[in-house]
Amino acid sequence: MPGLSDATRGRILFGGDYNPEQWPEETWHEDVRLMKEAGVNSVTLGVFSWARLEPRPGERNFGWLDRLMDLMHDSGIGVVLATPTSSPPPWMGRLHPETLPRDEDGRTEWWGSRQHFSHSSATYRRYAAAITEDLAARYGNHPALRMWHINNEYCTYDWGDEAEDAFRGWLQARYGTLDVLNEAWGTAFWSQGYGDWYEVLPPRRAHYMKNPTQVLDFKRFTSDALLECYLAERDIVARHSPHIPVTTNFMAVWPGLDAWTWAGQEDVVSIDIYPDPRDPFGAQYGALVHDMTRSQARGGPWMVMEQAAGPVNWRGVNHPKPAGLNRLWSLQAVARGADAVCYFQWRQSRQGSEKFHSGMVSHAGERGRTFQEVKRIGAELALLSEKVTGTRVEAAEVAVLLDWNAWWASRQDGQLSGEVDFPQVVRAWHRALWEAHTVADFAHPEHDLSAYKLVVVPQLYLMTDAAVDNLVAYVRGGGTLVAGFQTGVADEDDRVRPGGMDLRLRELFGIRVLHEWWPLDAGEKADVEGFHGTLWSEEIEAADDVDAVIPYKGGELDGLPAVLRKGRAWYVSTLPEPHALRTLLADIAAEAGVRPTLAGLPAGVEAVRRGGLLFLLNHGRDGVTVPVPGRHRDLLTGADVADSVELGRYGVAVLELAP
């Protein structure tokens, strides 16, 4: 199976989405000149070009793409060629309205934007396969081709008629009989029992709250239906060019797709990431996304498919990146395992919905600060390529558990608190590790965890029996486990387990009885001995064999355990404030034998080891001195450094470590 190394050929890929169909052809040669000046060695073509490639049903217009592919090859620039299937041409919706998705109210989503396709439409799939077949046959052996990019940011939900039929078929394959489905969905509640498969519908608009397991299964089905679309196109291009790797781009921390399942079907895992430059923890968010993507890539190199060189265009206020921040965040991705740093897009559009979304060449042109910074990044990536490409981030000793099924179930209507947001809880726990200078992997709760000294569970409301058994076995095998509140509450059908938490987990953590959950209001805090808790608290009765308890202080839960420890298993029934969570996790990690990447780091400095290199990144606006014992060489400057490194605002050093 080809991988990212087959596309990089020993170079960090640098470039981005190129949409030359938006520009006069004479602009293309000017683009190539600037690309060479910036060190661009890869462009993505064809993402939104279906109407140009197939202006009428069955007609093909490949001449312009032929000229572009040849131009890129002659210029020494590789191509990531996209199938254009995320945005069908208007003629498809006009001639085949069944290809258009419908929302939960039955309203049609019309053409005029993008992603306007029904994943379950047989007609859409037939047209998508046909254009993919012809693209693959024409360009599968073109010397410019480096990678296939299928569709773009799969994210379309559909509640229409063909989706209804497909959902019903998916359920029949999952459950077999209506009796099993009725049991799984708990349809005895509110007289929802189904006596015929044709009564089973997608969770469309209802008078009041919908059946939670029906909604959960619809999310599972949607992820699987979109995956079928991806696999159909992937298999076509792979048949024509088995030597070329295939990817599709995930959106960062996106709830719509089960990324663990999807990543296993990709040759290259790629991500689109757009942290807010005004977010004081934007760097930590970037680290989280990078760690997650690297883990989905099974520890191997991965690809930043999209990021912004400047402002985006969808926030309420779209701020540009201050000078140096684009470089810093690009090198952060490389530090955490990326072998490709790409952007949306190459040249900022003059028309359309994204004309104020930045490009590598902004409206200011080649003299603008954005392009000048892009040139610096391209030059520095070229310096690092030989030492970086194909190497791995130093093996993590900590794993953070994440499961899309738990996420989907936890965000249903009828939960105890609308203040609890699963991604924010995960981010809080990852931030605590990041601030303690501990690089972590992400893992599915059913993965083999034996290589990790510490496993962290921010929150897993829903857990399968296999996942529960896996955690119990991990602790019995000598691992250290720390879990956050509301973990192990429900089984895979979103059925609350007897006792409010799986018995195996209660015994593991030393919980005799979980009496009540006590969610906290926005801004409310629970007093705990030594810190304050936020978001949540729980009325827990500890078993006699617990080894340590940190109690609540005052209020309804006075004296009851906020934190329990039994052997190597910890349970935290609230979300400690950031400094307290950082201290707690750092202490648990140290006891488990987890080592920080580098001791004595100033606040705001990130250190990551990759291959034989140490990346030091200063996310602060003030200069700092970073102690690094010994003599080393900074690959970015060529200078030798001894015992310490000076980093300015948003400064980066990449040290080749002496033996």
Side-chain angles (χ1 to χ4, degrees):
M1 184 174 69
L4 187 54
S5 60
D6 296 278
T8 64
R9 301 183 181 180
R11 301 178 299 174
I12 298 174
L13 293 186
F14 181 60
D17 281 31
Y18 182 33
N19 299 295
E21 62 268 30
Q22 299 177 14
W23 299 87
E25 196 158 336
E26 55 266 24
T27 307
W28 300 358
H29 292 277
E30 175 69 5
D31 285 331
V32 167
R33 179 184 70 81
L34 293 176
M35 287 176 186
K36 288 183 173 181
E37 191 174 324
V40 167
N41 56 38
S42 175
V43 295
T44 300
L45 294 177
V47 176
F48 298 116
S49 62
W50 198 345
R52 182 79 179 268
L53 292 168
E54 189 175 6
R56 282 165 290 279
E59 184 177 318
R60 296 291 183 261
N61 176 21
F62 286 136
W64 66 278
L65 188 53
D66 290 344
R67 295 192 294 278
L68 274 166
M69 293 290 288
D70 292 344
L71 176 62
M72 293 300 110
H73 175 62
D74 293 342
S75 305
I77 299 171
V79 173
V80 179
L81 186 57
T83 62
T85 51
S86 65
S87 284
W91 57 256
M92 188 182 299
R94 179 177 66 86
L95 297 175
H96 305 285
E98 73 276 10
T99 65
L100 297 170
R102 280 190 271 158
D103 67 15
E104 59 183 326
D105 289 326
R107 297 173 300 190
T108 299
E109 294 184 1
W110 301 95
W111 59 90
S113 181
R114 64 178 195 176
Q115 263 82 26
H116 50 281
F117 65 89
S118 166
H119 49 62
S120 299
S121 165
T123 301
Y124 164 78
R125 291 192 182 193
R126 184 174 66 253
Y127 276 114
I131 191 67
T132 300
E133 184 78 39
D134 289 351
L135 277 171
R138 193 175 189 93
Y139 302 111
N141 290 301
H142 195 286
L145 183 63
R146 297 288 182 271
M147 191 185 310
W148 286 106
H149 173 358
I150 304 299
N151 203 279
N152 183 72
E153 293 184 337
Y154 279 102
C155 60
T156 308
Y157 276 76
D158 181 26
W159 286 260
D161 293 341
E162 286 189 87
E164 173 189 323
D165 290 339
F167 181 47
R168 197 175 290 126
W170 184 93
L171 292 169
Q172 288 172 327
R174 180 177 178 88
Y175 295 112
T177 69
L178 280 172
D179 287 343
V180 177
L181 179 140
N182 281 316
E183 176 66 21
W185 284 14
T187 57
F189 182 78
W190 280 351
S191 185
Q192 294 176 12
Y194 294 100
D196 190 293
W197 280 106
Y198 286 98
E199 297 169 359
V200 182
L201 301 174
R204 292 172 176 150
R205 178 67 61 186
H207 183 73
Y208 188 42
M209 293 181 185
K210 302 172 187 176
N211 184 310
T213 313
Q214 180 187 15
V215 175
L216 174 61
D217 272 344
F218 189 68
K219 293 180 185 296
R220 290 166 169 157
F221 154 75
T222 298
S223 179
D224 287 352
L226 289 169
L227 183 59
E228 287 179 1
C229 294
Y230 165 76
L231 292 175
E233 296 181 36
R234 182 205 66 179
D235 291 348
I236 291 171
V237 301
R239 174 164 41 83
H240 284 274
S241 50
H243 57 294
I244 299 295
V246 185
T247 188
T248 190
N249 47 337
F250 294 159
M251 290 182 284
V253 200
W254 167 246
L257 306 179
D258 183 346
W260 291 121
T261 301
W262 277 68
Q265 301 294 338
E266 293 185 292
D267 299 329
V268 177
V269 179
S270 59
I271 194 72
D272 298 350
I273 176 171
Y274 294 98
D276 187 342
R278 286 290 185 96
D279 182 353
F281 302 107
Q284 180 269 321
Y285 174 76
L288 180 150
V289 172
H290 302 154
D291 289 346
M292 189 181 300
T293 309
R294 182 187 67 251
S295 302
Q296 290 159 2
R298 299 169 291 281
W302 51 276
M303 180 177 190
V304 175
M305 181 69 80
E306 291 184 22
Q307 61 173 341
V312 297
N313 72 319
W314 63 79
R315 297 188 175 102
V317 178
N318 294 289
H319 299 284
K321 289 181 175 177
L325 192 60
N326 180 19
R327 171 181 180 258
L328 176 67
W329 284 357
S330 296
L331 290 172
Q332 182 193 40
V334 175
R336 290 183 177 263
D339 270 7
V341 176
C342 301
Y343 294 82
F344 183 84
Q345 57 181 325
W346 163 249
R347 184 181 286 274
Q348 195 168 13
S349 300
R350 293 183 61 195
Q351 290 184 291
S353 299
E354 293 180 322
K355 57 183 173 288
F356 293 115
H357 187 295
S358 67
M360 299 169 75
V361 180
S362 70
H363 292 310
E366 62 182 294
R367 289 183 157 183
R369 173 171 68 84
T370 296
F371 182 70
Q372 295 303 312
E373 290 187 350
V374 162
K375 285 171 57 178
R376 181 184 182 187
I377 295 168
E380 291 185 332
L381 293 179
L383 288 174
L384 297 177
S385 283
E386 182 181 349
K387 300 287 186 180
V388 167
T389 51
T391 66
R392 290 182 171 236
V393 175
E394 183 179 51
E397 298 178 316
V398 180
V400 179
L401 300 193
L402 177 66
D403 179 20
W404 266 258
N405 289 271
W407 184 357
W408 293 330
S410 69
R411 67 200 302 252
Q412 301 273 29
D413 291 337
Q415 290 283 349
L416 290 172
S417 174
E419 297 297 319
V420 177
D421 179 68
F422 180 79
Q424 291 303 318
V425 173
V426 172
R427 187 171 174 179
W429 283 74
H430 184 274
R431 174 186 164 191
L433 293 167
W434 184 78
E435 290 181 343
H437 311 299
T438 300
V439 176
D441 288 342
F442 279 83
H444 187 277
E446 295 180 19
H447 283 174
D448 180 4
L449 305 172
S450 59
Y452 300 104
K453 295 179 179 178
L454 173 64
V455 168
V456 172
V457 182
Q459 183 189 48
L460 285 176
Y461 160 80
L462 178 152
M463 293 183 70
T464 64
D465 285 340
V468 173
D469 287 338
N470 195 38
L471 294 193
V472 173
Y474 168 75
V475 174
R476 288 177 178 168
T480 299
L481 173 71
V482 54
F485 66 85
Q486 212 183 15
T487 286
V489 172
D491 66 12
E492 63 184 306
D493 295 325
D494 198 9
R495 180 187 294 106
V496 175
R497 293 184 179 273
M501 176 190 283
D502 187 274
L503 176 60
R504 291 160 290 183
L505 293 180
R506 280 185 277 139
E507 292 177 344
L508 185 69
F509 295 126
I511 298 173
R512 175 179 286 122
V513 183
L514 198 166
H515 290 285
E516 288 289 350
W517 297 287
W518 288 78
L520 302 177
D521 289 326
E524 185 182 5
K525 295 180 180 179
D527 290 332
V528 180
E529 187 175 284
F531 65 88
H532 296 292
T534 66
L535 282 183
W536 196 266
S537 57
E538 294 178 352
E539 185 178 342
I540 290 173
E541 181 181 333
D544 294 334
D545 57 352
V546 296
D547 297 311
V549 167
I550 302 175
Y552 289 103
K553 304 290 288 184
E556 295 288 342
L557 306 182
D558 183 46
L560 296 177
V563 179
L564 302 90
R565 175 188 182 179
K566 180 180 175 182
R568 294 179 177 271
W570 296 73
Y571 183 73
V572 184
S573 68
T574 185
L575 180 66
E577 290 177 308
H579 71 279
L581 184 56
R582 180 177 66 247
T583 300
L584 178 65
L585 274 185
D587 289 346
I588 295 172
E591 185 178 324
V594 176
R595 301 159 297 146
T597 305
L598 189 67
L601 286 172
V605 173
E606 178 178 1
V608 184
R609 296 179 188 269
R610 181 178 179 187
L613 305 179
L614 175 65
F615 286 76
L616 298 172
L617 305 106
N618 178 23
H619 297 287
R621 289 178 170 268
D622 298 321
V624 292
T625 300
V626 182
V628 187
R631 297 186 64 85
H632 315 285
R633 186 167 69 93
D634 186 350
L635 294 183
L636 297 180
T637 64
D640 291 329
V641 299
D643 297 326
S644 65
V645 177
E646 300 295 326
L647 296 178
R649 165 184 161 167
Y650 299 151
V652 182
V654 182
L655 304 184
E656 189 172 21
L657 298 176

